[in-house]
Amino acid sequence: MKLKLEKIDEMNVLQVQEERIDAHNSAELKESILQFLEQGENRLFVQLSQVRFIDSSGLGALLSGYKNAVNRSGKLVLCNVQPQVLAMFELTRLNRVFEIYSDLNEAFAAQN
Amino acid sequence: MNAAQIQLDVIIPTQTKYLDLIGCIGERLGHGLDQFSGDREALAYHLNLVLTEATANAIKHANDSKPEETVRISIVIHDDELNIKVFDHGQGFDLEAVPAPDFNNPKENGMGIYFIKTLMDSVTYTRQGDCNVLEIKKRLV
């Protein structure tokens, strides 16, 4: 799975550089987020602008990351969620669990 | 029901790298369903999702000790209905026993069957001969 972790305005941003998150690559996403959190960072902005498809295992991987971040008194925030992907969060009511922002600027502004 | 317009049979190894292929077949078919009066973009995504979930489920339940195992996916499009069958050779599971997601206490697993049940019109899982068949139907008109 292609992931890019970078610092933008001193914030940790994880770019998911894949069109699909499914049972083939979701375990890797889950593990990568966990490894990041285990390094002591506890706030992560996940950029999903390139993702146009997500299945139940992909939602599960992000939910796992969210729970792990919260357990460490941190947070995992989603940005640039494409409409059809967002519809899956709505169908599972996970849009009530995650903080979801239209872009990074909006997400960063909401943290202050 | 009218005669089938399109019938497609795909056999893949029990490996998740083929989910993309199966899902994309569903999505392309969905885009071409001119008879569907609803949101065809949404239908295309839903077929991608349902085929991905059903195939992933069959791969998960396959017999791990037999790497030569395959999953067969059959898609038949009639004028008024789409019919998907996913055949696996695993132990099987009880479709009715799969609990609905608890939205107030979401879990990482168990949303796949919920997607299939919610987005399609009927779902059954039965034993047929030496395999299990997950049969999914979607009305198109």
Side-chain angles (χ1 to χ4, degrees), chain A residues 8-81:
Chain A
I8 300 177
D9 293 348
E10 298 181 9
M11 304 284 195
N12 298 300
V13 178
L14 182 70
Q15 310 257 11
V16 180
Q17 298 178 319
E18 298 281 350
E19 284 200 2
R20 273 177 77 92
I21 308 176
D22 65 18
H24 186 55
N25 56 14
S26 57
E28 199 179 329
L29 175 62
K30 179 176 167 178
E31 187 58 30
S32 298
I33 294 173
L34 185 60
Q35 278 180 12
F36 169 78
L37 295 170
E38 283 176 344
Q39 288 166 12
E41 302 278 2
N42 65 0
R43 195 153 65 153
L44 184 63
F45 296 80
V46 181
Q47 265 260 32
L48 294 172
S49 53
Q50 292 182 40
V51 178
R52 49 172 295 277
F53 178 88
I54 193 164
D55 75 351
S56 62
S57 72
L59 293 171
L62 291 171
L63 182 61
S64 163
Y66 171 86
K67 288 181 174 177
N68 279 314
V70 170
N71 285 342
R72 290 167 166 79
S73 304
K75 58 163 62 176
L76 182 147
V77 171
L78 305 179
C79 308
N80 299 84
V81 184

Side-chain angles (χ1 to χ4, degrees), chain B residues 47-109:
Chain B
L47 292 178
N48 187 340
L49 181 65
V50 163
L51 278 162
T52 298
E53 298 288 358
T55 306
N57 196 57
I59 290 170
K60 193 171 76 184
H61 289 101
N63 191 336
D64 288 336
S65 62
K66 293 183 184 169
E68 72 280 10
E69 201 112 300
T70 56
V71 175
R72 180 180 151 218
I73 299 110
S74 157
I75 305 169
V76 182
I77 300 173
H78 301 277
D79 281 341
D80 56 354
E81 189 180 270
L82 186 143
N83 186 294
I84 295 166
K85 289 181 184 171
V86 179
F87 301 80
D88 73 76
H89 299 277
Q91 294 291 312
F93 66 98
D94 184 357
L95 181 68
E96 300 310 316
V98 179
D102 178 355
F103 294 125
N104 295 317
N105 184 20
K107 299 276 190 307
E108 291 164 40
N109 301 312

Side-chain angles (χ1 to χ4, degrees), chain B residues 2-7 32-35 76-80 140:
Chain B
N2 296 319
Q5 291 182 334
I6 296 174
Q7 179 158 359
L33 291 171
D34 297 334
Q35 66 268 48
V76 182
I77 300 173
H78 301 277
D79 281 341
D80 56 354
L140 298 176

Side-chain angles (χ1 to χ4, degrees), chain B residues 111-130:
Chain B
M111 286 181 281
I113 294 294
Y114 166 73
F115 280 145
I116 298 173
K117 284 181 173 174
T118 305
L119 299 173
M120 299 288 116
D121 292 310
S122 88
V123 191
T124 58
Y125 189 69
T126 51
R127 186 83 187 168
Q128 292 183 16
D130 64 343

